[in-house]
Every structure is written in structure tokens, then in C-alpha cells.
Amino acid sequence: MSVAILSIFIPTFFFVSITPGMCMTLALSLGMSIGVRRSLHMMWGELIGVGLVATAAAIGVAALMLQFPEAFIFLKLGGGAYLGWIGIQMWQSKGKLVMPEPGSEVKQQGNFQLALNGFITAIANPKGWAFFVTLLPPFLDQNQPLAPQLSILIAMILLLEFSCLLIYASGGKALRHLLLDRGNVKLMNRIAGSLMIGVGIWLALG
């Protein structure tokens, strides 16, 4: 691939990834509630989903799915309801993703479940599919072998996406420390829960 194409592709997709969206809001919420290290499990699930969406978009599968949006309905509604339910639990300072208050213990959500949350959020977002359908194909040269180009572009997309997820999760961690220093654990759980509820609504209605 030419340097000219990559010089346009990298800043374009970085800007897209860093723009606040469902996955970034999820990373911010988890950075607040469970910290950056445990949020990594959500991230690898989300990256698998993004990779699948980007690949499908590049080969045209997404165009067909966008013509039949009912294919997304059950996944969107189910995933959105699940994330909203988690957010309500966090707002009430209970559940497996809350920061425990002094003297209390909270059972943590499993690593696989965190990864599944990220995966569902990535693949159930029609706007993500539409975005990849629109932006990814123009960077592919039809006169060159498709597989090597896709490998390079998707690897770069995942690297950019991961970097942005880390930025958002780190921002959530910083806010977490600020609130913990002031003893506002319940407030932190409610903020993180509200963000999670927002992601659920966004996913279900987006």
C-alpha cells in the first residue's frame, strides 16, 4: 500500500475512533468502575467485533445487512437491555461492576462476560456497519490482491481503536481516583451506571 493512502487513512480512522460513541463510553464507564486493567477484557472482545465488522464491510456483506436492518433488531434490543440492566445495578451500587464501598465486598464480573459485553456492543451497532461500508472500501485498490490490503488496514484500525479505548478507560480511571479521594464511591457508581444505561439505550435505539 502506498504511503499516500496510509497518510490519509491513519488520521481519518483515528478521528473516527476517538469520537465519543458507544464503545468509547463503555470504556470510560468501565475505567471508572473496575479500572483500566480489567477493562482490557472488554477491549479485546470489542476489537474482535470491530475486526469482524470491518472485514464484512470490506467484502460487501454489510451492504446486504443494511438493507435488512431486522437482522440487527434482536441483538440490538437484547444487548441494549442487558447493558441497561447492568447500568441500573451500578446506579444502585450493586452488581458485579460497581466499586465497593468501604466495608463491603462485591463479586466481580467474569473476564469472558466483560469481553462479551464489548463484542456485542461492537457488532450490534448499525452505525458502525454503515461507517465501515462508507469509508473502508475507498482505501482498497481493486487492481491489487484484496487479502494483504485488508490485513494491513484492519490491523491498523484495531491498533487505533485499542489506543482510543485505552485513552477513554484511563480518563475514567482518573475520574475514579478523584471521586475516591473525596469518598464519593456511591456518586462514582451512579455516574458509571448512568453512562452504562446511556450505552444500552444508544445500542437499542441507534
Side-chain angles (χ1 to χ4, degrees):
M1 301 189 67
S2 69
V3 175
I5 290 179
L6 293 179
S7 65
I8 299 174
F9 178 85
I10 292 175
T12 298
F13 274 83
F14 178 79
F15 175 77
V16 169
S17 293
I18 201 67
T19 302
M22 288 191 300
C23 293
M24 297 304 150
T25 304
L26 182 61
L28 179 67
S29 176
L30 292 181
M32 287 182 59
S33 61
I34 62 176
V36 176
R37 180 173 296 181
R38 294 211 64 230
S39 297
L40 292 173
H41 298 288
M42 180 281 293
M43 294 180 194
W44 69 256
E46 192 267 351
L47 292 175
I48 292 175
V50 169
L52 290 176
V53 171
T55 302
I59 62 178
V61 173
L64 178 62
M65 296 188 72
L66 288 172
Q67 292 180 10
F68 301 96
E70 59 273 12
F72 287 105
I73 291 177
F74 292 107
L75 185 58
K76 284 174 54 185
L77 294 180
Y82 176 69
L83 293 178
W85 175 72
I86 293 177
I88 291 172
Q89 285 196 314
M90 294 172 70
W91 208 90
Q92 296 174 339
S93 293
K94 63 181 182 180
K96 298 178 180 180
L97 289 180
V98 301
M99 186 67 190
E101 297 187 38
S104 65
E105 293 184 1
V106 175
K107 184 179 179 181
Q108 292 185 338
Q109 191 173 42
N111 295 337
F112 176 78
Q113 191 61 55
L114 289 171
L116 185 60
N117 292 347
F119 180 78
I120 291 174
T121 303
I123 67 169
N125 180 13
K127 293 180 182 178
W129 287 84
F131 178 81
F132 280 116
V133 166
T134 302
L135 281 187
L136 189 56
F139 289 98
L140 297 172
D141 186 350
Q142 300 299 324
N143 297 320
Q144 300 294 331
L146 185 61
Q149 295 181 76
L150 273 178
S151 300
I152 294 172
L153 293 181
I154 292 176
M156 299 185 74
I157 287 173
L158 296 181
L159 180 60
L160 292 170
E161 183 79 0
F162 180 62
S163 300
C164 295
L165 288 169
L166 283 177
I167 291 173
Y168 273 82
S170 299
K173 181 180 179 181
L175 184 57
R176 170 187 181 179
H177 286 312
L178 176 63
L179 293 175
L180 284 178
D181 288 342
R182 297 180 179 179
N184 293 324
V185 177
K186 182 173 291 187
L187 175 61
M188 183 194 68
N189 285 330
R190 288 184 174 182
I191 293 174
S194 297
L195 291 171
M196 187 72 74
I197 292 171
V199 172
I201 294 174
W202 197 347
L203 179 58
L205 302 180

